[in-house]
Amino acid sequence: MAAVLESLLREEVSVAAVVRWIAHSTRGSEDNPGEAAALSSLRPLRKEFVPFLLNFLREQSSRVLPQGPPTPAKAPGASAALPGRPGGPSRGSRGARSQLFPPTEAASTAAEAPLARRGGRRRGPGPARERGGRGLEEGVSGENLPGAGGRRLRGSGSPSRPSLTLSDPPNLSNLEEFPPVGSVPPGPAGRTKPSRRINPTPVSEERSLSKPKTCFTSPPISCVPSSQPSALDTSPWGLGLPPGCRSLQEEREMLRKERSKQLQQSPTPTCPTPELGSPLPSRAGSLTDEPADPARVSSRQRLELVALVYSSCIAENLVPNLFLELFFVFQLLTARRMVTAKDSDPELSPGVLDSLESPLFQSIHDCVFFAVQVLECHFQVLSNLDKGTLKLLAENERLLCFSPALQGRLRAAYEGSVAKVSLAMPPSAQAVSFQPETDNRANFSSDRAFHTFKKQRDVFYEVLREWEDHHEEPGWDFEKGLGSRIRAMMGQLSAACSHSHFVRLFQKQLLQMCQSPGGAGGTVLGEAPDVLSMLGADKLGRLWRLQERLMAPQSSGGPCPPPTFPGCQGFFRDFILSASSFQFNQHLMDSLSLKIRELNGLALPQHEPSDEDGESDVDWQGERRQFAVVLLSLRLLAKFLGFVAFLPYRGPEPPPTGELQDSILALRSQVPPVLDVRTLLQRGLQARRAVLTVPWLVEFLSFADHVVPLLDYYRDIFILLLRLHRSLVLSQESEGKMCFLNKLLLLAVLGWLFQIPTVPEDLFFLEEGPSDAFEVDTVAPEHGLDAAPVVDQQLLYTCCPYIGELRKLLALWVSGSSGRSGGFMRKITPTTTTGLGAQPSQTSQGLQARLAQAFFHNQPPSLRRTVEFVAERIGSNCVKHIKATLVADLVRQAESLLQEQLVTQGEEGGDPAQLLEILCSQLCPHGAQALALGREFCQRKSPGAVQALLPEETPAAVLSSAENIAVGLATEKACAWLSANITALIRREVKAAVSRTLRAQGPEPAARGERRGCSRACEHHAPLPSHLISEIKDVLSLAVGPRDPDEGVSPEHLEQLLGQLGQTLRCRQFLCPPAEQHLAKCSVELASLLVADQIPILGPPAQYRLERGQARRLLHMLLSLWKEDFQGPVPLQLLLSPRNVGLLADTRPREWDLLLFLLRELVEKGLMGRMEIEACLGSLHQAQWPGDFAEELATLSNLFLAEPPLPEPQLRACELVQPNRGTVLAQS
Amino acid sequence: MILTKAQYEEIAQCLVSVPPTRQSLRKLKQRFPSQSQATLLSIFSQEYQKHIKRTHAKHHTSEAIESYYQRYLNGVVKNGAAPVLLDLANEVDYAPSLMARLILERFLQEHEETAPSKSVINSMLRDPSQIPDGVLANQVYQCIVNDCCYGPLVDCIKHAIGHEHEVLLRDLLLEKNLSFLDEDQLRAKGYDKTPDFILQVPVAVEGHIIHWIESKASFGDECSHHAYLHDQFWSYWNRDGISQCCSGWCGTPGLSNSSASASQSAGITGVRKHFLPGILMKCVCK
């Protein structure tokens, strides 16, 4: 492994090649041969590289950051990283090393341990106490070590010893040899979690007092630590454990250590050493921060290379947990001080010059440089963090110092960010669930059963209230206080149906308390605030923020906390435990499974992909909100389902091994899963709904016991999840694929799952990554839920509160360095003096909000739904209304302004961008009216809608209250959107209008304007063009022949036809350009036939030919049609085409006068120019004609040419003499 | 007006191997005075096209072309003014326009030595004046104006009918106060394949829900019905998720219950009587 890194550092292979090498097992085609060769020899180690890299970095940083906050938990597969120790190499690299140099190693480790592993795990009361003491010290200095349980420093200082036993790749899939537990290194704080480190006074609703607080009281203010982990400690399967090791993880670790001791007979005293934590460095470190200076970075190039590889691994999702790595990087960024590593490490002897021999991070400067390098590669992720984190990042002076460019981008991202996230815990608003439709007598078998149910209900709520009142009191214990009462109540539930009723109640109450949009909605669904938060205005929000800062748990337990039951959830968990009723659990599982299936299959509305413009944002809010509600409900239910389902299998005992394990596996594998999650997952992936399915599945799996991941059924699931994880490469964004934040959510929850202690950590690295892209054959429409932007930062942070650790880390840095830099923690001033006037005071606003809530509580739920619905729709319509009225008006103004501009500036007046700027600067200020208009619109529309939707018997007072609330909500919603977006909207519309106008102005205005429609009076009764074409075609075919002797047309028919043609051309309704073209052509052909006298006329043989006068009349009609009615070009030159002129040649005697007449008329009407006709006549001469015809043609053209250019006065005369001349001509 | 299947078949029966000329159409009109000329022409045209599709290949062998060309040349030498080409086409039972194209192609090959491009031929057929040989130009022109089933003029008529009926349909919908989106509006909304009209509020006609209307300016026989179903309607179905309705132009075989698909044909009563005689709506409901 190290060989790879070394060859990288020696620049033998490129970073890209290494990443390709890791990610795709065999594909090496793009690599140059040298690289490929270098890497292919190391092929067996491919999957061990990432764990090696991660551990390497942790180790390196451990020298620098000895007392930093917890290093990410569960560093992956230490065992895999340094193989060669088939007996459960619990100590990772150290273990491996000890094989090579056992004596020195042990000694050196022991010596270093205190230095490097301070903050490591603590075990047992002794060290713990010590630690507590230190905690106090640190508290004084403002140092926060929330669980400084260090990095997985398996090798305190052991970065060297590269590539040990490459020749003997271990059989990693052998769980006996490499039991999942065994792979966890011993010191790893990540596992012990902050809870171990500091066990603080919880500020949350956690029932922390129920557990013994041996030490770690009074944590420093700056590090109010999490209370949740402690809640976990008291978790059910931990009950009855000795107080020293309450949590499962700790238990596991202890066991592991025991085992590793036994197996290895390792001379190294694994447990106590780390805890000895020498206080000196920490004190020093906590007192002063070392400034970081970019100029003093040592071995820049090496750091860059490693950072690049590391970033690439993160980007390719080769690391198990994205946020864990980010956390680590943030730690490096905010490292306070370098421990003056008096590394007496023998490995650092000057003789060794290998690139891996010298420590990677030799100073704070190196750490920060490395961190900034990595962060630069992950700007996209950073920019999607919440606004608070962005702000802290943007204001981080180290970042500014090391990479002003990144800082600039972050600042821009911060300024553009709207992702305000509130991490406040949902208040345990205690609405009582009462469902009249199910909780009535009709649903019970007997009066007695109903009565019992009612009594149980009462008991349940009594218990609940008692819990609410007392659970925060010190010394109160759930089991002691309520256990017997709960069991007594459960005892009364005899009939099976009573159980199901009670379970329904339980589940409803669970959803309502832990997830109800009423209680927590406002904060949970930040962007789409609910009644409460919307009613409260600015000031109230400020009050809440302050409350949040005071109340919110400051730490949720490091970047990878174990699954917990925060807040009210604790009650339900304890209830289940105390009740310890088999029937109840079974019914609960049934009910939860059903509800999960139902919610998971819920068809969430999907947007049409077409209208993704601004205003649909309004609608999106609603959808996001709905999605969030469904997702959070699912997660809650799945969590409890997992908890109950795996409860019988969890316990303090260590995971079984060997034969015992096999027999357990055999036993368990035949038990059908409580809910067919595999199928649900597969379907979810197929239907592109992973963003809904995976988060709750993760919650479910997080409660699995150790055996579960080994079962085939669940192993499939894990493999699917692993593949999904690998496929979610954040940088690949494409149409129809998953949205960025959706991916981020999935990565966060999956990464968290992979760090859960019960999930074997080798699982992540063992599974062969998807060699091909992970493609599920989707059966879903192209735009599944995954592609819809349903996740926002609020939901992300609500689902994954541990992401907030990043922010805390940064905040800690700021507060720690506040003395120097002035600090950025802003004070929240909840009261103002300005609000004295017309504005209602905050208390009254808050009161108003509470009143509204109380109002809804007293009314049927439908009322609330109605009001919310009305507010939602009216708000949305209001935006559309503004768009259609105000914005449309402004656009019209813009158009007229633009016209003026164009007139004054002439044809090419300025460039469009400039014009647009001018217009926008004039018009955008008008957008301010939008708010007033919007308010007025909501005021006007909402009451009617509420009235219409509520039942008629609604009392007037209730109605008017509901109306007022609806108006308020709608206004709030619309105004929020309008004030944020109106300028952009106006801009966009004006831009579209400008480009439209300019385009219309630009090319061929003539062609555009000239087309006329039919006159207003036209009733569209004209014959259809198709009919006319057909008729004319008939005449043409008659004329061209062959025809029967009795066929022919009457002159009247011809006249009528031309008349109809005129009508049709004047009524444009049915005319399409091609039809008009053909009509024009046919009319020309018809004229030619008329001129050549080729049209067979019905009637007596004497009149077989058309009378001359009639022919002229018809030609006149045609001329006027061409002149007046045709709007397209008429191919008049066809009249003089050889073919049509040739028609004359066939007639005997030849009649030239009509042609001459036609030509003159053409010229006179301006249909053809003289020159044009001359040219046509000229070209006629070139054709081959019979001798006499050619002569006559020449005479005709001479005759035509001889006429004066202005024939107006002579024409009549000419016309008079024409027949004679024509006949003369013909006869000659 | 709905044509019964029997009527339709009777008409189709009369059209077996009849040349597509004015005279044939006149005879047909005399035979079925109750049917409008448009209906008859449409059926004629479709039947004839089916016929040509079947026999097309045999006229396109190089021997056939060569022999036609020789016969044409001989005929023209004898009498350039006689309808040589037209008679030839009728004699070998091929559409005159297509025969003209065939000969023209052959002629150009001979005289210009390079194979003429399709667009050149098309433009010469549209405007025979461009044909370098005067005699051939006349012959071609004669074929085109005498062909009532093929040729540029007929194509234009069909196109015009299609356009007219879209306009008529729109007027009708407006008159009936049915709210709809037309093709242009749909395209502006980003649909790539659209029916002529999507009804914003569906209507029920004879028990079938109509979501959209497609105007087809041709006679809706089974064959075309299936072809359109295949080419267009399923894509509407897939994209818009809506059931289907199209309007046939000149009638439709009443109960085409032999259709293999689940489609049915039915007239739209309210709409029908306002149409020009012979215009029918055909709806395919799924």
Side-chain angles (χ1 to χ4, degrees):
Chain A
M1 278 311 91
V4 179
L5 202 53
E6 272 168 31
S7 56
L8 186 75
L9 293 180
R10 286 197 301 267
E11 295 183 350
E12 282 167 12
V13 292
S14 70
V15 174
V18 170
V19 175
R20 274 199 302 277
W21 173 71
I22 305 162
H24 317 287
S25 46
T26 45
R27 254 175 274 152
S29 53
E30 309 133 70
D31 306 340
N32 75 46
E35 289 176 343
L39 292 173
S40 65
S41 65
L42 300 168
R43 259 197 68 194
L45 303 166
R46 210 173 44 74
K47 24 181 172 172
E48 295 153 22
F49 179 78
V50 176
F52 169 79
L53 178 68
L54 299 185
N55 285 326
F56 172 72
L57 288 173
R58 303 287 196 271
E59 258 161 38
Q60 292 291 322
S61 65
S62 74
R63 303 165 73 95
V64 181
L65 276 176
Q67 84 284 25
T71 305
K74 202 160 168 184
S79 65
L82 287 165
R85 173 77 93 41
S90 64
R91 310 224 49 204
S93 63
R94 167 112 38 94
R97 223 178 296 133
S98 65
Q99 253 191 352
L100 285 180
F101 316 104
T104 19
E105 190 56 30
S108 79
T109 317
E112 292 158 24
L115 290 180
R117 284 225 201 141
R118 329 155 358 11
R121 47 182 280 100
R122 133 194 84 82
R123 146 136 350 128
R129 225 167 278 128
E130 240 182 81
R131 169 90 15 135
R134 214 186 90 217
L136 273 173
E137 285 169 22
E138 284 166 5
V140 172
S141 62
E143 176 69 50
N144 166 21
L145 309 175
R151 36 231 78 254
R152 12 198 322 99
L153 340 159
R154 312 155 265 42
S156 12
S158 57
S160 48
R161 289 303 148 31
S163 66
L164 299 161
T165 42
L166 298 182
S167 52
D168 178 22
N171 177 6
L172 291 167
S173 51
N174 182 335
L175 291 164
E176 272 226 79
E177 275 185 2
F178 290 90
V181 252
S183 53
V184 179
R191 247 154 220 285
T192 37
K193 303 286 154 20
S195 59
R196 217 96 330 235
R197 173 95 179 62
I198 298 163
N199 223 351
T201 321
V203 189
S204 77
E205 309 83 327
E206 263 323 301
R207 177 173 71 89
S208 49
L209 298 176
S210 60
K211 68 197 161 262
K213 286 214 178 106
T214 48
C215 39
F216 318 137
T217 48
S218 73
I221 283 169
S222 62
C223 66
V224 184
S226 146
S227 50
Q228 275 113 3
S230 56
L232 180 90
D233 290 353
T234 59
S235 66
W237 43 83
L239 285 178
L241 281 183
C245 53
R246 284 180 305 275
S247 91
L248 207 60
Q249 295 101 307
E250 200 170 357
E251 180 59 26
R252 276 184 57 194
E253 250 151 50
M254 198 145 84
L255 270 154
R256 187 181 317 125
K257 278 185 197 154
E258 286 304 315
R259 270 204 18 245
S260 74
K261 254 193 256 172
Q262 287 168 4
L263 285 170
Q264 305 168 12
Q265 301 301 319
S266 163
T268 320
T270 41
C271 9
T273 19
E275 281 82 24
L276 293 177
S278 104
L280 264 174
S282 87
R283 211 175 285 144
S286 55
L287 284 173
T288 47
D289 298 334
E290 203 175 307
D293 179 2
R296 292 170 59 194
V297 174
S298 60
S299 59
R300 219 169 236 274
Q301 197 187 5
R302 199 168 59 140
L303 285 168
E304 271 171 10
L305 269 175
V306 178
L308 198 53
V309 176
Y310 181 54
S311 304
S312 308
C313 289
I314 296 177
E316 290 276 331
N317 288 333
L318 295 168
V319 299
N321 189 333
L322 165 70
F323 287 102
L324 192 56
E325 301 311 318
L326 279 185
F327 187 79
F328 171 65
V329 173
F330 276 32
Q331 276 183 314
L332 288 181
L333 178 69
T334 59
R336 299 228 178 251
R337 187 180 169 77
M338 175 101 178
V339 174
T340 43
K342 22 185 177 157
D343 257 333
S344 53
D345 238 333
E347 298 127 68
L348 277 182
S349 58
V352 196
L353 290 172
D354 193 347
S355 51
L356 283 184
E357 291 292 317
S358 59
L360 188 61
F361 303 120
Q362 290 173 351
S363 62
I364 277 294
H365 322 294
D366 290 359
C367 289
V368 177
F369 178 75
F370 178 82
V372 173
Q373 289 287 314
V374 176
L375 290 181
E376 272 183 343
C377 297
H378 297 283
F379 171 75
Q380 207 188 0
V381 178
L382 297 181
S383 65
N384 276 287
L385 294 174
D386 72 315
K387 197 163 184 168
T389 312
L390 278 175
K391 178 176 150 69
L392 287 167
L393 265 179
E395 287 171 350
N396 187 301
E397 70 272 27
R398 277 184 171 172
L399 208 59
L400 177 62
C401 186
F402 276 76
S403 171
L406 177 62
Q407 195 266 351
R409 286 159 80 197
L410 284 167
R411 176 158 294 281
Y414 160 67
E415 277 154 12
S417 170
V418 288
K420 277 195 180 165
V421 166
S422 155
L423 287 176
M425 293 301 297
S428 44
Q430 302 327 327
V432 171
S433 161
F434 179 69
Q435 310 294 326
E437 65 272 22
T438 47
D439 296 352
N440 63 38
R441 166 68 186 84
N443 286 318
F444 289 84
S445 54
S446 64
D447 279 336
R448 198 182 135 73
F450 184 48
H451 185 66
T452 315
F453 173 73
K454 282 195 293 186
K455 271 206 299 202
Q456 275 154 357
R457 237 186 106 89
D458 294 343
V459 176
F460 178 67
Y461 283 114
E462 195 185 310
V463 168
L464 180 56
R465 269 182 222 108
E466 194 164 331
W467 174 81
E468 267 167 29
D469 293 344
H470 296 292
H471 74 278
E472 279 172 339
E473 285 174 17
W476 189 82
D477 185 75
F478 190 93
E479 171 60 31
K480 242 187 267 170
L482 303 170
S484 57
R485 246 189 296 171
I486 290 172
R487 277 187 291 277
M489 182 190 90
M490 297 312 281
Q492 293 175 335
L493 293 169
S494 48
C497 82
S498 325
H499 272 293
S500 68
H501 280 292
F502 181 73
V503 160
R504 199 187 55 236
L505 176 72
F506 185 86
Q507 187 179 312
K508 285 249 166 71
Q509 192 64 34
L510 173 68
L511 279 178
Q512 189 156 347
M513 278 175 70
C514 304
Q515 192 345 158
S516 86
T523 46
V524 168
L525 310 168
E527 209 191 330
D530 184 55
V531 191
L532 259 185
S533 56
M534 285 180 86
L535 283 175
D538 235 21
K539 315 264 163 54
L540 196 57
R542 210 179 283 179
L543 203 59
W544 275 334
R545 282 215 314 278
L546 185 62
Q547 188 187 6
E548 178 192 329
R549 191 178 284 180
L550 294 173
M551 295 290 292
Q554 281 295 301
S555 164
S556 56
C560 293
T564 56
F565 291 94
C568 318
Q569 297 176 19
F571 169 78
F572 293 92
R573 176 201 57 193
D574 290 344
F575 186 94
I576 294 170
L577 289 172
S578 285
S580 61
S581 156
F582 167 73
Q583 292 100 319
F584 172 67
N585 287 358
Q586 188 60 47
H587 281 278
L588 186 60
M589 281 193 286
D590 297 347
S591 175
L592 289 170
S593 301
L594 182 71
K595 188 74 182 169
I596 288 174
R597 272 179 184 284
E598 182 190 316
L599 284 179
N600 187 52
L602 203 65
L604 292 166
Q606 285 164 23
H607 253 262
E608 289 169 39
S610 52
D611 59 337
E612 294 222 354
D613 55 350
E615 87 210 73
S616 64
D617 268 10
V618 182
D619 296 330
W620 265 121
Q621 285 182 13
E623 320 240 317
R624 274 204 205 111
R625 183 173 161 196
Q626 194 194 355
F627 175 80
V629 170
V630 171
L631 182 71
L632 292 177
S633 302
L634 270 171
R635 278 168 59 89
L636 185 68
L637 296 170
K639 184 193 238 181
F640 273 87
L641 181 64
F643 173 66
V644 181
F646 297 116
L647 188 56
Y649 304 107
R650 303 197 61 154
E653 316 86 37
T657 50
E659 280 176 29
L660 189 57
Q661 193 186 47
D662 289 344
S663 67
I664 291 179
L665 277 179
L667 200 63
R668 289 280 299 277
S669 59
Q670 54 156 357
V671 180
V674 56
L675 175 66
D676 189 1
V677 282
R678 185 172 61 185
T679 312
L680 288 178
L681 173 64
Q682 281 162 349
R683 278 200 210 128
L685 291 175
Q686 275 171 1
R688 294 186 197 249
R689 286 164 69 92
V691 73
L692 182 66
T693 305
V694 171
W696 71 253
L697 182 63
V698 163
E699 287 286 295
F700 175 77
L701 292 175
S702 70
F703 280 92
D705 58 282
H706 291 94
V707 179
V708 166
L710 308 179
L711 299 170
D712 284 345
Y713 179 86
Y714 287 100
R715 198 163 181 88
D716 287 354
I717 294 177
F718 276 106
I719 289 171
L720 268 181
L721 290 179
L722 279 169
R723 293 217 179 122
L724 176 67
H725 182 265
R726 279 291 295 276
S727 74
L728 294 172
V729 178
L730 287 168
S731 53
Q732 292 173 356
E733 283 203 81
S734 58
E735 188 66 21
K737 289 285 175 60
M738 207 179 280
C739 289
F740 189 86
L741 277 169
N742 297 9
K743 275 189 197 171
L744 213 53
L745 172 68
L746 291 190
L747 282 181
V749 294
L750 286 174
W752 177 76
L753 177 70
F754 297 144
Q755 301 291 333
I756 298 278
T758 45
V759 179
E761 54 209 26
D762 56 352
L763 190 74
F764 184 85
F765 294 100
L766 266 188
E767 283 313 326
E768 189 56 42
S771 49
D772 300 311
F774 171 68
E775 276 300 329
V776 197
D777 35 338
T778 48
V779 294
E782 260 176 56
H783 296 275
L785 206 52
D786 283 349
V790 283
V791 176
D792 55 11
Q793 275 88 355
Q794 181 67 48
L795 183 62
L796 180 67
Y797 276 72
T798 310
C799 289
C800 313
Y802 31 88
I803 302 178
E805 291 295 302
L806 298 176
R807 179 177 173 178
K808 279 165 200 154
L809 207 56
L810 294 170
L812 211 59
W813 162 253
V814 170
S815 62
S817 56
S818 59
R820 193 181 56 230
S821 60
F824 295 87
M825 293 299 262
R826 209 158 277 156
K827 279 183 181 146
I828 300 174
T829 314
T831 51
T832 58
T833 46
T834 53
L836 288 175
Q839 247 179 343
S841 69
Q842 284 131 29
T843 39
S844 89
Q845 280 184 28
L847 192 62
Q848 203 63 43
R850 286 214 310 270
L851 268 176
Q853 203 194 9
F855 168 74
F856 282 128
H857 191 251
N858 289 342
Q859 302 294 331
S862 66
L863 181 93
R864 182 196 184 115
R865 285 201 298 272
T866 307
V867 167
E868 281 173 354
F869 174 72
V870 167
E872 148 98 27
R873 292 325 307 161
I874 298 280
S876 177
N877 285 350
C878 172
V879 170
K880 289 180 177 137
H881 170 78
I882 297 290
K883 196 181 165 195
T885 54
L886 177 70
V887 177
D889 277 347
L890 289 177
V891 167
R892 268 193 291 280
Q893 280 183 37
E895 273 166 351
S896 59
L897 280 172
L898 185 66
Q899 291 294 349
E900 282 169 28
Q901 288 273 356
L902 288 174
V903 169
T904 52
Q905 298 195 352
E907 278 307 300
E908 292 302 315
D911 89 297
Q914 212 179 341
L915 278 176
L916 182 68
E917 279 311 314
I918 299 171
L919 287 175
C920 286
S921 63
Q922 284 176 344
L923 294 174
C924 285
H926 295 283
Q929 302 164 23
L931 290 184
L933 288 172
R935 212 166 274 137
E936 191 259 339
F937 181 87
C938 295
Q939 192 85 43
R940 188 154 41 91
K941 295 277 185 182
S942 306
V946 172
Q947 245 167 49
L949 290 173
L950 289 182
E952 289 199 359
E953 66 262 26
T954 310
V958 172
L959 189 63
S960 81
S961 297
E963 284 170 8
N964 289 339
I965 295 173
V967 168
L969 288 177
T971 311
E972 196 83 27
K973 183 181 165 79
C975 289
W977 192 90
L978 285 173
S979 56
N981 297 312
I982 187 72
T983 312
L985 180 66
I986 294 175
R987 234 191 136 73
R988 198 181 61 203
E989 295 290 314
V990 168
K991 191 175 172 191
V994 166
S995 62
R996 210 165 42 227
T997 318
L998 288 178
R999 220 180 312 125
Q1001 281 257 328
E1004 52 193 288
R1008 195 172 298 273
E1010 233 176 61
R1011 278 210 166 269
R1012 293 162 286 165
C1014 26
S1015 66
R1016 192 160 296 172
C1018 178
E1019 291 182 11
H1020 313 309
H1021 288 315
L1024 294 174
S1026 61
H1027 173 75
L1028 271 174
I1029 301 176
S1030 180
E1031 291 282 308
I1032 296 178
K1033 176 171 165 280
D1034 274 354
V1035 173
L1036 292 178
S1037 74
L1038 261 179
V1040 172
R1043 54 180 174 258
D1044 299 339
D1046 59 336
E1047 278 184 310
V1049 288
S1050 66
E1052 294 75 31
H1053 178 67
L1054 282 176
E1055 247 176 82
Q1056 192 197 348
L1057 202 59
L1058 293 184
Q1060 286 181 342
L1061 181 57
Q1063 289 173 22
T1064 299
L1065 289 171
R1066 282 186 289 274
C1067 167
R1068 314 293 300 182
Q1069 171 92 330
F1070 298 103
L1071 208 55
C1072 57
E1076 191 176 356
Q1077 274 168 27
H1078 272 92
L1079 281 173
K1081 221 170 90 188
C1082 289
S1083 66
V1084 172
E1085 299 279 352
L1086 197 62
S1088 289
L1089 289 167
L1090 279 173
V1091 166
D1093 197 11
Q1094 293 271 357
I1095 296 182
I1097 295 299
L1098 281 178
Q1103 289 185 2
Y1104 185 67
R1105 304 176 83 178
L1106 202 59
E1107 196 200 319
R1108 189 74 22 106
Q1110 274 177 330
R1112 284 194 183 208
R1113 209 162 50 243
L1114 289 171
L1115 283 178
H1116 260 298
M1117 285 179 82
L1118 277 169
L1119 281 164
S1120 102
L1121 285 176
W1122 293 334
K1123 173 79 182 162
E1124 309 288 339
D1125 296 321
F1126 276 106
Q1127 292 185 8
V1130 181
L1132 291 167
Q1133 68 284 353
L1134 282 182
L1135 287 170
L1136 290 173
S1137 75
R1139 190 175 64 79
N1140 283 329
V1141 174
L1143 292 172
L1144 277 169
D1146 300 338
T1147 44
R1148 295 269 161 199
R1150 291 184 188 127
E1151 306 273 358
W1152 291 96
D1153 54 338
L1154 279 173
L1155 182 57
L1156 202 54
F1157 162 76
L1158 187 61
L1159 293 180
R1160 283 178 182 147
E1161 284 294 306
L1162 284 174
V1163 173
E1164 191 196 350
K1165 290 207 187 303
L1167 286 163
M1168 275 180 104
R1170 282 185 82 87
M1171 306 296 286
E1172 205 182 342
I1173 294 178
E1174 279 169 34
C1176 288
L1177 286 173
S1179 63
L1180 273 179
H1181 291 303
Q1182 289 158 13
Q1184 291 190 335
W1185 303 107
D1188 57 338
F1189 185 78
E1191 275 174 32
E1192 289 175 23
L1193 195 63
T1195 319
L1196 173 93
S1197 49
N1198 288 337
L1199 205 60
F1200 177 74
L1201 295 176
E1203 281 173 12
L1206 276 173
E1208 186 68 51
Q1210 287 113 320
L1211 190 89
R1212 293 294 150 197
C1214 189
E1215 196 180 328
L1216 286 175
V1217 287
Q1218 192 62 48
N1220 301 334
R1221 235 189 244 173
T1223 22
V1224 170
L1225 198 75
Q1227 284 157 0
S1228 66
Chain B
M1 172 171 58
I2 300 176
L3 219 58
T4 64
K5 180 124 177 141
Q7 279 174 312
Y8 165 72
E9 273 164 2
E10 193 187 349
I11 296 173
Q13 197 59 42
C14 291
L15 290 169
V16 177
S17 65
V18 170
T21 55
R22 193 175 71 245
Q23 289 85 351
S24 313
L25 193 61
R26 198 172 55 212
K27 276 182 214 147
L28 199 64
K29 233 156 51 180
Q30 284 160 4
R31 172 91 195 267
F32 300 99
S34 62
Q35 305 298 337
S36 75
Q37 173 167 356
T39 306
L40 292 174
L41 183 59
S42 179
I43 297 178
F44 188 11
S45 180
Q46 272 181 13
E47 291 299 312
Y48 191 73
Q49 280 176 14
K50 275 190 250 173
H51 169 71
I52 289 296
K53 262 181 214 152
R54 282 194 299 272
T55 58
H56 182 73
K58 101 178 167 200
H59 301 290
H60 270 249
T61 60
S62 53
E63 300 85 40
I65 295 176
E66 203 50 42
S67 89
Y68 296 156
Y69 190 57
Q70 286 310 323
R71 286 179 63 178
Y72 158 75
L73 288 181
N74 293 338
V76 173
V77 168
K78 257 186 256 163
N79 180 4
V84 178
L85 210 46
L86 189 62
D87 287 346
L88 175 64
N90 288 338
E91 190 188 322
V92 301
D93 194 15
Y94 195 48
S97 295
L98 299 178
M99 180 61 86
R101 170 185 282 267
L102 216 63
I103 298 299
L104 177 61
E105 214 164 348
R106 179 69 185 74
F107 173 83
L108 291 176
Q109 251 168 23
E110 189 170 290
H111 287 257
E112 305 191 355
E113 301 194 350
T114 51
S117 74
K118 220 168 175 161
S119 64
V120 169
I121 300 232
N122 281 339
S123 117
M124 284 184 173
L125 287 174
R126 271 199 301 275
D127 178 13
S129 307
Q130 293 172 11
I131 298 175
D133 182 280
V135 178
L136 182 58
N138 284 332
Q139 294 282 345
V140 167
Y141 188 69
Q142 193 173 37
C143 284
I144 287 169
V145 291
N146 274 297
D147 192 332
C148 64
C149 292
Y150 280 97
L153 269 173
V154 177
D155 290 344
C156 175
I157 294 175
K158 286 181 182 166
H159 182 272
I161 291 174
H163 178 77
E164 288 154 17
H165 287 89
E166 259 183 62
V167 176
L168 283 174
L169 184 55
R170 176 199 311 270
D171 290 351
L172 215 61
L173 289 171
L174 286 173
E175 187 191 318
K176 289 278 150 196
N177 233 346
L178 294 174
S179 167
F180 61 87
L181 292 175
D182 68 15
E183 208 166 352
D184 294 337
Q185 290 166 306
L186 289 171
R187 263 185 225 295
K189 285 192 162 210
Y191 290 85
D192 55 345
K193 217 165 181 184
T194 71
D196 289 336
F197 301 100
I198 283 188
L199 299 181
Q200 285 180 319
V201 181
V203 296
V205 175
E206 294 180 5
H208 301 291
I209 308 285
I210 312 288
H211 288 259
W212 51 258
I213 301 177
E214 170 83 12
S215 163
K216 281 288 155 222
S218 62
F219 181 78
D221 68 355
E222 271 172 59
C223 171
S224 62
H225 190 149
H226 281 189
Y228 282 127
L229 197 66
H230 190 262
D231 295 342
Q232 290 188 300
F233 301 155
W234 289 124
S235 65
Y236 302 156
W237 174 270
N238 297 338
R239 283 164 219 211
D240 307 328
I242 51 184
S243 78
Q244 308 164 344
C245 170
C246 65
S247 85
W249 167 42
C250 296
T252 187
L255 303 161
S256 59
N257 43 11
S258 58
S259 309
S261 72
S263 63
Q264 288 177 311
S265 300
I268 296 180
T269 40
V271 173
R272 189 187 339 153
K273 61 178 181 249
H274 296 280
F275 258 119
L276 295 182
I279 303 300
L280 276 198
M281 314 284 299
K282 179 174 70 176
C283 88
V284 184
C285 297
K286 174 95 172 70

